[in-house]
Amino acid sequence: MVVYKVDRLSRSLLDFAKMMEVFEKHHVAFVSVTQQINSATSMGRLMLNVLLSFAQFRARDYRRTHPRQDCRRSSSW
């Protein structure tokens, strides 16, 4: 699977790990075009986990620091 950026596919480490299991089961490699990451190598898998950890942190931190934006999306505000 080829994507533009890793965080465009998923910002949840758990969801991404499940997707990677499915990819491995079907012998599908994951490649990020702009970040030069390839899941076929051990270094690529390590970088994927690091980048997704930061993406998940950033998404949760944004919701914590911008609560009004979160309320608008849920129609509670």
Side-chain angles (χ1 to χ4, degrees):
M1 170 174 281
V2 178
V3 296
Y4 181 72
K5 285 180 71 176
V6 174
D7 65 351
R8 298 293 94 199
L9 180 63
S10 175
R11 292 189 183 194
S12 166
L13 197 54
L14 181 61
D15 290 342
F16 190 78
K18 289 177 183 178
M19 279 189 275
M20 289 304 295
E21 285 179 13
V22 172
F23 293 164
E24 287 175 11
K25 181 180 174 183
H26 296 286
H27 306 289
V28 174
F30 176 85
V31 178
S32 172
V33 176
T34 60
Q35 295 163 319
Q36 301 300 315
I37 296 173
N38 185 347
S39 68
T41 66
S42 58
M43 184 58 81
R45 287 190 295 275
L46 173 65
M47 289 303 298
L48 279 170
N49 285 322
V50 169
L51 284 173
L52 283 167
S53 294
F54 279 110
Q56 184 172 336
F57 170 77
R58 188 175 68 206
R60 288 183 180 173
D61 188 54
Y62 183 82
R63 286 192 297 259
R64 183 181 60 81
T65 58
H66 296 87
R68 294 179 74 189
Q69 295 293 332
D70 221 17
C71 290
R72 287 180 187 157
R73 284 190 208 117
S74 66
S75 300
S76 302
W77 191 70

